[in-house]
Amino acid sequence: MSKLVIVGTLAFDAIETPFGKTDKILGGAATYIGLAASHFNIDSAAVSVVGGDFPQDYLDLLSNKKIDISGVEIVKEGKTFFWSGKYHNDMNSRDTLATELNTLADFNPVVPEDYKNAEIVMLGNLHPIVQSSVLDQMTTKPKLVILDTMNFWMDCALDDLLNVIKRIDVITINDEEARQLTGEYSLVVAARKIHEMGPKYVVIKKGEHGALLFHNDHVFYAPALPLEEVFDPTGAGDTFAGGFAGYIAKTGDTSFENMKNAVIYGSTLASFCVEKFGTERMQNLSNSEVHKRLLQFKQLTQFDIELT
Ligand code: AMP
């Protein structure tokens, strides 16, 4: 079993979907990643920052899931990162209504001593300089570094983003962001261009249409489970990344074959995330529910064709 470092936001989110609207609720990339990774019973630590306004209950929630939060800085006089978004009717796209960096603007991440030799590092969506600084603190070269990012950082810190992308093994990115990063419409060409930027593995997330894993000339595709209820896609990408990273940390196997399973685990966990607003569904998700859905996934994608 490997140790996992999770870097990302702990946040307040205000979300609007065609099904309703929330006030400030718990959100943030590190929250979703941590909740997903907690299903693998691995040693994990969150590295993040919050303000004095961040409820102790939210921190306890993470601790109770056995996520080490000693790397979460609390700036007593500061305010927690806030993000607000509104989904379009198809729920595959959204507009960001507000991004208030607050304490995140001066965040200097500190990796806990015990985690500086972690084998797996999950760099959640954050300023690329912060992501780089975490890699600088690792005392041994991690076996696998996974990075998630978004258009916000492409718009405001592209050079820094390209610098950190050079240093990682796996990038997870959504289809529109892959297109923006490369200027290519075809996702196959976009993935090839991203390979050339550094990462040996490229995961392109396509929302309700699943996810693609590229490695040189190999491609693997996992659909998303067709769901009856989709309330709020917020955090699905982070949940996917947390499931992916958690599975790799649990198995310690970074081969392409094993990454296929990691994609399936990521997709399965993400399918729960969207069923309720914010982190609600992920907070009490049981391992048996996950297991059941993995079986459904297998049935969805399995077929027996005789080729002559
Ligand atoms: P996802 O839906 O997986 O893309 O992730 C949504 C989460 O990302 C929300 O909980 C937000 O708090 C967080 N988020 C949104 N914008 C940013 C940003 N610019 N940097 C870091 N985290 C963000």
Side-chain angles (χ1 to χ4, degrees):
M1 200 194 296
S2 312
K3 282 194 275 191
L4 171 67
V5 172
I6 299 165
V7 191
T9 41
L10 296 178
F12 287 128
D13 287 350
I15 304 158
E16 196 176 332
T17 82
F19 300 104
K21 209 173 157 173
T22 69
D23 273 334
K24 284 188 175 184
I25 56 170
L26 171 63
T31 309
Y32 286 104
I33 293 168
L35 289 174
S38 71
H39 282 270
F40 299 92
N41 246 323
I42 46 170
D43 289 332
S44 65
V47 176
S48 192
V49 65
V50 293
D53 55 352
F54 199 68
Q56 184 62 39
D57 282 0
Y58 289 175
L59 293 171
D60 292 345
L61 171 76
L62 299 178
S63 301
N64 291 338
K65 298 277 180 192
K66 307 225 162 48
I67 302 163
D68 181 329
I69 55 162
S70 58
V72 176
E73 188 192 352
I74 302 172
V75 182
K76 285 232 156 53
E77 64 290 356
K79 280 173 74 182
T80 300
F81 172 77
F82 171 68
W83 175 80
S84 159
K86 183 176 175 178
Y87 287 84
H88 300 159
N89 272 343
D90 66 359
M91 298 247 264
N92 269 330
S93 53
R94 69 185 177 203
D95 294 326
T96 289
L97 304 178
T99 301
E100 294 171 14
L101 293 179
N102 299 328
T103 47
L104 203 64
D106 310 304
F107 177 40
N108 284 315
V110 179
V111 179
E113 240 5 90
D114 287 355
Y115 278 83
K116 287 189 172 166
N117 61 355
E119 295 86 350
I120 313 293
V121 178
M122 176 68 235
L123 300 173
N125 177 25
L126 263 185
H127 196 298
I129 289 185
V130 174
Q131 294 176 317
S132 270
S133 143
V134 167
L135 295 183
D136 294 339
Q137 293 174 51
M138 302 306 288
T139 49
T140 48
K141 190 175 163 19
K143 207 166 162 186
L144 199 77
V145 179
I146 306 153
L147 174 139
D148 188 48
T149 191
M150 74 187 293
N151 51 356
F152 182 81
W153 305 113
M154 291 172 204
D155 295 337
C156 72
L158 183 61
D159 287 345
D160 297 325
L161 180 61
L162 292 174
N163 281 333
V164 69
I165 285 179
K166 278 187 204 144
R167 305 176 63 186
I168 58 143
D169 304 294
V170 185
I171 187 168
T172 68
I173 191 167
N174 77 28
D175 43 2
E176 278 320 304
E177 290 157 355
R179 291 184 173 119
Q180 178 172 343
L181 185 62
T182 60
E184 296 291 343
Y185 182 80
S186 154
L187 295 178
V188 176
V189 180
R192 194 181 310 134
K193 279 203 170 174
I194 298 173
H195 276 318
E196 285 162 11
M197 295 175 187
K200 293 184 287 295
Y201 302 90
V202 177
V203 178
I204 300 185
K205 300 169 287 183
K206 289 164 60 65
E208 67 166 331
H209 304 298
L212 290 153
L213 167 68
F214 293 89
H215 173 55
N216 299 327
D217 290 333
H218 305 285
V219 193
F220 174 69
Y221 171 66
L225 267 186
L227 296 172
E228 263 178 53
E229 289 180 318
V230 178
F231 275 105
D232 171 20
T234 308
D238 301 315
T239 302
F240 174 93
F244 182 95
Y247 182 76
I248 299 282
K250 169 102 180 166
T251 54
D253 177 351
T254 57
S255 66
F256 179 70
E257 281 310 306
N258 197 50
M259 273 188 203
K260 291 181 182 175
N261 291 339
V263 167
I264 297 294
Y265 260 98
S267 304
T268 302
L269 287 162
S271 76
F272 287 105
C273 176
V274 302
E275 287 181 341
K276 290 201 171 146
F277 271 101
T279 56
E280 204 185 329
R281 185 70 174 98
M282 300 309 290
Q283 287 190 27
N284 301 309
L285 180 63
S286 70
N287 283 341
S288 64
E289 286 176 298
V290 176
H291 188 254
K292 222 164 126 190
R293 200 160 279 186
L294 279 166
L295 287 175
Q296 272 176 274
F297 224 109
K298 220 173 160 189
Q299 276 159 6
L300 175 75
T301 49
Q302 225 166 30
F303 55 89
D304 198 3
I305 188 168
E306 242 178 69
L307 295 174
T308 49

